[in-house]
Amino acid sequence: MMAEFCGNPAVEAGEVLMPRKRKFDRSRICVKCKINPGNLVIRHSVYCKGCFTPLIFTKFHQALEPYINHVSVGPRRGALKPSGALLIGFSGGLGSSVLLDLVYQRYCANVGSDNLKGGREHPRKNKVWQKIYVCYVEVSDIFPETSDRTAQIREAIARYDGFELIPVRIQDAFDRTWWERVSGGAAPDLAGLPFDLGGGDSEPVAALQTHIRALPTPTAILSTLSTLTRLLLLYTAYSVSASHIVLGTSLTSLSISLISSISQGGGFVVPQAIQEEWFPQFVQRTIGDTSWNGEVRLVRPLRDVGMKECTAWVWWHQLLVVGKQRIPVPKQTIGDLTKNFIIGLERDYPSTVSTIAKTVGKLAPRGDSRVRCVLCELPTQQFVQRWKSRTSIRSFTDDASSMDTATSSLPHYLCYSCHTTLTSKSARSTATLNLHSSNSAPALNLPMWAATRLALELGSEQSVGPGAPANEIWETKKLDDGGMKSLVGEFLLENE
Amino acid sequence: MAPKSCALCQNSKAILRRPKTGQHICKHCFFTVFETEVHNTITQAHLFKPGDRVAIGASGGKDSTVLAYVMKTLNDRYQYGLNLFLLSVDEGITGYRDDSLETVKRNQEQYDMPLKIVSYEELYGWTMDRVVSAIGKKNNCTFCGVFRRQALDRGASGLGVDQIVTGHNADDIAETVLMNIMRGDIGRLGRCTAICTQGEDRIRRSKPFKYAYEKEIVMYAYFKKLEYCSIECIYFPDAYRCLARAFLKDLEAARPSAIIDIIHSGEAFELKEEVRATQKSQHSCKGCGYMSSDVLCMACFLLEGLERGMPTAAITDKGRRELEARWSTRTT
């Protein structure tokens, strides 16, 4: 029996009861088949179990397949012919597990069978991917409180025939042997550079731990691990001739990571947060060349699939989810705060998650950039240091105009986000990094790709002079009065 | 533990930790960096030219009080050559504006600037108290914001000024960026980090405090012993912006640079070209002549809704079309 009055004297009788919010728009019958009763509500629409599976498959292949061919063949869908193999970035989490299953069901299960529906170019008729790898990045060596989950990951992947696991360890980013293997070249000589890139740590675990200890905030630690993981996946994909990487980022995770990235100054690269085209720094590309030269396309095929839908998929398809590794950091990070906020907001303002992703999808970077950050290898804006010094004065002696051209200083090669990650402190930070001078303490170890790029940039500057293009030979000589006069002689009047 | 020296001058004793950078600095250096950053903002964006008549949107709160003080200080120090005025809006919110308008009048005497006050009652025939009693506590920020914007323009037009400056600070801009992304308002998202906005028939407005942290404005007022009113709008806690503000405060606690980082992100992106092409073009409102992307400007839509007893109709597209049809019938 409903009470007429809740007893709160501040509220008038008759206005107490709030009408119950409907969870779905129309009826309980599935909106797709209009026959079966619904089993799940997805953003106010009701779906039965039978229609749910094809719905998710549709979202998956619509988000991935237009980007499989190296050059788009236009609006009419043709054969899917990727240039290389496929690499699945697998964290063990919910989205990754769903992605693994979808890739298997779509491209591996029942391939070549004549009994199933689909046209001549349907993926089930002919194998799309000649090879599918699954790459997992283990972090337990850096955080002793965590356990090594490689065996569990291997067991989860073993259920899928034809997937080859490539286990990578996070400290490989600082491992010269790993670098020589993926880049096909020798690791750089770091001696003689104008700033210290190593604290003498030749052992990768120690090098990475030194790097992490120097970071000023817990947010910086998680941000760094995310960057290292992304680059490890990209370089691993390149080393196995994979043309595509797919990640299991769901719509919910994507929205959270977009807001988190924007909160850390990553506005210039938000389009890359949705989809990215990357090539290693040591690959030369010619403008206008449309052939594949090892570029890797990073796609997020679950970007239209929410967390709730992923959970339903796991439940109905009885998948094994190992779970994502939780990094032990002492305090809440920007990522944690963003996740709690967005998920909380979704309760009172539904569609917030999809609105964020759609809104950011309509944005583009302001201005061009052909330069990439040495640390995250994403496009970087010009004059970042000048902007920072103008808006936040940290010294009365720094010259803003020289900051962006000081090529012997590490900040010159960093994007806004990475510079902020390395330097921005909280009230309780104890780690301090001075990136503007050499012989700074503590030393900053950099991952191999960053150290290589810096050695190339700075090594070539030192041999030919700052500002000079690396491959040209310059000769300088001082002009005397006679030499200068000969250049302007024809313009001089007789009495000069 | 020995007292720390100021991180900037290395001479004096540090007496505060700067919210924006975390540096321990002395009072004198704090004043210097705060004022210099505002001066950098003004000169970098070429906000003013000598001889400009500039109205300072003054509410009596901390932002506008400090803005008036800093504008006067920088105008004298760097010879901007500006003629400064104070412009205040009375929204008709009982208990909110009474004290703050008194503060603005005191500021007028202290800074020796002419003052003009415009009210919602005289401009629109509605106070915010009457509006809220008609629409409830949801969407009232939309009404107040739209009405205030036009009120400032009309007041400035009456003063014959070239430009309006407002005390919008870094926290305001950062929360606006986040709010517009979360609500999908791409039209506003494309403009919200612009330091200066101007459209046809609209007075140019700028935000010299764009990179100034709210906490530093409070600190500046405290050390300079400036008088201001610290009263939050009674209708604010129910606003969507309040949620974005709470989130921003959490981010700032985790990493103080988050506020300036969000502003940098907002400046670093723009709308895709194909999206910009679909945005509505601006022309004049048929009701009041103000700039509008529709037949009527938002203020006229809101007023039309209030007068017809459909106060929240103007919040939705469908409601606005209905109001436009009724307005057309009324005026033909």
Side-chain angles (χ1 to χ4, degrees), chain B residues 111-184:
Chain B
Y111 306 146
D112 190 28
M113 289 181 198
L115 165 67
K116 183 177 172 65
I117 300 175
V118 289
S119 73
Y120 283 8
E121 178 90 71
E122 70 188 57
L123 285 174
Y124 310 116
W126 286 76
T127 62
M128 269 315 292
D129 282 346
R130 263 189 78 204
V131 171
V132 173
S133 66
I135 66 168
K137 291 188 183 177
K138 223 176 173 181
N139 299 315
N140 39 295
C141 277
T142 301
F143 281 78
C144 194
V146 169
F147 286 167
R148 186 186 299 118
R149 180 168 260 278
Q150 271 210 26
L152 274 177
D153 280 346
R154 291 183 190 191
S157 176
L159 282 170
V161 299
D162 303 296
Q163 190 171 169
I164 301 170
V165 293
T166 55
H168 288 93
N169 57 48
D171 297 52
D172 294 326
I173 296 185
E175 73 195 30
T176 303
V177 170
L178 292 177
M179 216 172 67
N180 288 333
I181 292 174
M182 294 188 298
R183 298 205 303 195

Side-chain angles (χ1 to χ4, degrees), chain B residues 41-59:
Chain B
T41 304
I42 289 170
T43 52
Q44 183 66 28
H46 307 289
L47 289 186
F48 310 119
K49 59 183 189 302
D52 271 356
R53 293 165 64 85
V54 177
I56 301 169
S59 63

Side-chain angles (χ1 to χ4, degrees), chain A residues 262 264-267 337 341 355 359 361-364 366 381 387 390-394 416 420 424-426, chain B residues 8 18 20 23 37 40 44 181-182 184 243 250-251 254-257 261-262 264-265 267-270 272:
Chain A
I262 286 168
Q264 297 179 62
L337 291 167
F341 177 68
T355 301
T359 305
K362 294 176 184 171
L363 301 176
R366 193 186 296 268
Q381 288 169 285
W387 190 94
R390 209 176 59 231
T391 55
S392 308
I393 297 173
R394 290 169 193 267
Y416 184 97
T420 304
S424 183
K425 298 194 287 189
S426 67
Chain B
L8 289 174
R18 201 183 163 197
K20 191 190 259 189
Q23 288 177 313
E37 283 172 6
N40 287 346
Q44 183 66 28
I181 292 174
M182 294 188 298
L243 300 171
D250 288 340
L251 293 180
R255 193 155 89 176
S257 70
D261 295 340
I262 292 170
H264 181 83
S265 288
E267 290 180 2
F269 54 59
E270 60 184 7
K272 284 181 178 167

Side-chain angles (χ1 to χ4, degrees), chain A residues 30 183 253:
Chain A
C30 175
S183 68
S253 303

